[in-house]
Amino acid sequence: MQLHRLYITVRNFLFSRANREFLIFLFFLALSGIFWLLMTLNETYEKEVIVPVHITEIPSDVMLTSDEVDTVRVTIRDRGILLLSYIYGEELKHVNAPFKTYDQGSGAGAISTAELTKMIQQRLSASSKIISIKPDRLKLFYNTGAFKKVPVRWRGRIIPEHLYFLSHVSYTPDSVTVYASEEKLDSIRMAYTEPLNYVGFRDTLSVDCRLRKIEGVKMVPDHVKTTFYTDVLTEESMEGIPIQGINMPKNKVLRTFPAKVTVRFVTGVNVYRTLTPNDFIVTADYNQLKNSPSEKCSLQLLQVPQGITRAALVTKEVDYLIEEKTK
């Protein structure tokens, strides 16, 4: 009963004189829109279409070092209705290019504009005309198994917050396998990330990033997880670092007064907690003493641990004595 009343109410509303005239207006408006669309789609246009080109029939002993799928931008002239079918239909969803049509030997190959035009034109209507293709040729690189492993390093702009610094960087994985021609393999020492840009952070920062592409080179994997560890800067010192004589003759011994010195440096709090005097090397060179004798010998800070900056000796010269070894 309620549905019947609702039906009557809706019918009376729709078919009242005012609404009936409005519905007739909408009908003719839609009809004119359809005619306009059909006339518009029947006009001739030029449209750029993105066409993926897939490399097929790759021999089992060949490793592609370039992408298996390239894309070309094809400008086509034809009626609008056909251009719509090329954009949203299946005709140009992909074009297959057998490996042998690329291969030119010596680990490289290419498909020219003429070959691309021929492959794509076969998928188009007879009335469609290809105006241009970009790029004008597709390149291919491959090898038959040459590879090597190289370490990963980051590139970019990584700046922690004030009073913090990067204490350590780790990579997962820390190396990747690089496939390329022998000539290119010889020139590759590192695999670098795409440029990173992170500023003003204080906690550990982990970034999943892709490796920078090199033409004709394939990296496996092609992305890594890079983790930046931060620490709070602090100015500290380390006492009790022994002085070591270098270039000493076998029959002589260098004695310095004092025998141990102090080094000042800037580092992170966490790094400082792990340091010992043996992590530093301070030396006095016998050759310098022999060539330029003086009352004091100059000291050199020869080695500091990783994560240390602005390291300097508190005492740069000390008294010394050279003794003969007793048998």
Side-chain angles (χ1 to χ4, degrees):
M1 191 68 177
Q2 290 181 348
L3 288 176
H4 181 68
R5 288 178 180 175
L6 179 61
Y7 167 74
I8 292 174
T9 301
V10 172
R11 185 191 64 181
N12 292 337
F13 173 77
L14 291 176
F15 292 97
S16 64
R17 180 177 179 82
N19 288 325
R20 186 165 61 248
E21 292 176 355
F22 179 67
L23 290 174
I24 293 172
F25 168 76
L26 289 180
F27 171 75
F28 283 105
L29 179 64
L31 189 62
S32 63
I34 293 171
F35 280 117
W36 172 84
L37 180 62
L38 290 175
M39 292 176 62
T40 300
L41 292 178
N42 204 42
E43 295 289 333
T44 299
Y45 300 95
E46 291 184 5
K47 180 66 178 178
E48 185 177 84
V49 181
I50 303 298
V51 181
V53 179
H54 296 252
I55 304 171
T56 60
E57 302 176 18
I58 303 170
S60 58
D61 62 339
V62 167
M63 165 67 75
L64 288 183
T65 55
S66 54
D67 294 333
E68 292 186 16
V69 181
D70 276 317
T71 57
V72 292
R73 301 189 303 277
V74 184
T75 301
I76 303 172
R77 177 186 295 162
D78 207 335
R79 289 179 297 136
I81 186 103
L82 284 174
L83 293 177
L84 281 177
S85 70
Y86 297 149
I87 296 171
Y88 300 107
E90 297 296 324
E91 291 91 342
L92 298 180
K93 285 298 182 184
H94 64 85
V95 172
N96 293 331
F99 177 82
K100 62 183 179 181
T101 64
Y102 268 100
D103 189 19
Q104 297 176 346
S106 303
I111 295 183
S112 65
T113 301
E115 292 171 320
L116 286 170
T117 301
K118 181 179 178 181
M119 287 190 299
I120 296 172
Q121 187 69 63
Q122 292 173 350
R123 293 175 170 263
L124 302 179
S125 170
S127 62
S128 300
K129 182 178 181 181
I130 295 177
I131 304 302
S132 66
I133 295 180
K134 299 176 183 179
D136 57 359
R137 69 201 310 255
L138 295 181
K139 295 181 181 179
L140 170 145
F141 297 93
Y142 67 91
N143 71 14
T144 55
F147 70 92
K148 73 176 183 180
K149 295 197 76 171
V150 296
V152 177
R153 293 292 181 269
W154 69 274
R155 274 188 172 176
R157 184 168 174 258
I158 306 294
I159 304 176
E161 192 175 294
H162 181 58
L163 297 182
Y164 286 78
F165 79 112
L166 292 180
S167 61
H168 177 59
V169 181
S170 68
Y171 306 89
T172 307
D174 61 359
S175 61
V176 295
T177 303
V178 178
Y179 297 87
S181 64
E182 295 285 355
E183 181 181 357
K184 288 193 174 183
L185 284 178
D186 290 341
S187 65
I188 298 174
R189 298 287 181 267
M190 302 281 183
Y192 292 99
T193 67
E194 291 183 341
L196 305 175
N197 186 17
Y198 294 91
V199 177
F201 62 95
R202 62 170 62 182
D203 297 323
T204 299
L205 174 66
S206 293
V207 182
D208 289 318
C209 48
R210 300 188 67 84
L211 297 177
R212 181 174 61 89
K213 287 187 176 183
I214 304 174
E215 186 180 51
V217 176
K218 182 174 184 178
M219 299 182 185
V220 180
D222 61 359
H223 63 279
V224 297
K225 179 181 180 180
T226 307
T227 304
F228 300 93
Y229 297 90
T230 59
D231 202 352
V232 180
L233 284 173
T234 181
E235 187 171 359
E236 300 289 348
S237 61
M238 179 66 63
E239 300 178 351
I241 300 172
I243 300 172
Q244 303 177 25
I246 58 173
N247 298 317
M248 298 295 299
K250 293 183 179 180
N251 62 335
K252 295 183 183 295
V253 176
L254 174 67
R255 301 192 186 280
T256 62
F257 307 95
K260 297 180 179 181
V261 292
T262 300
V263 174
R264 286 200 183 99
F265 51 86
V266 174
T267 187
V269 172
N270 293 327
V271 174
Y272 178 70
R273 291 171 181 163
T274 65
L275 295 178
T276 67
N278 293 330
D279 294 324
F280 299 82
I281 295 180
V282 177
T283 62
D285 191 344
Y286 175 79
N287 289 337
Q288 183 180 1
L289 298 175
K290 180 179 66 174
N291 296 331
S292 303
S294 65
E295 294 182 357
K296 293 182 179 289
C297 67
S298 298
L299 303 180
Q300 292 181 334
L301 183 56
L302 193 64
Q303 176 181 299
V304 297
Q306 187 176 3
I308 298 294
T309 61
R310 303 208 305 252
L313 290 164
V314 173
T315 304
K316 297 182 179 180
E317 292 183 333
V318 294
D319 295 327
Y320 71 96
L321 180 65
I322 296 176
E323 296 180 346
E324 296 283 344
K325 283 185 178 179
T326 57
K327 294 183 180 180

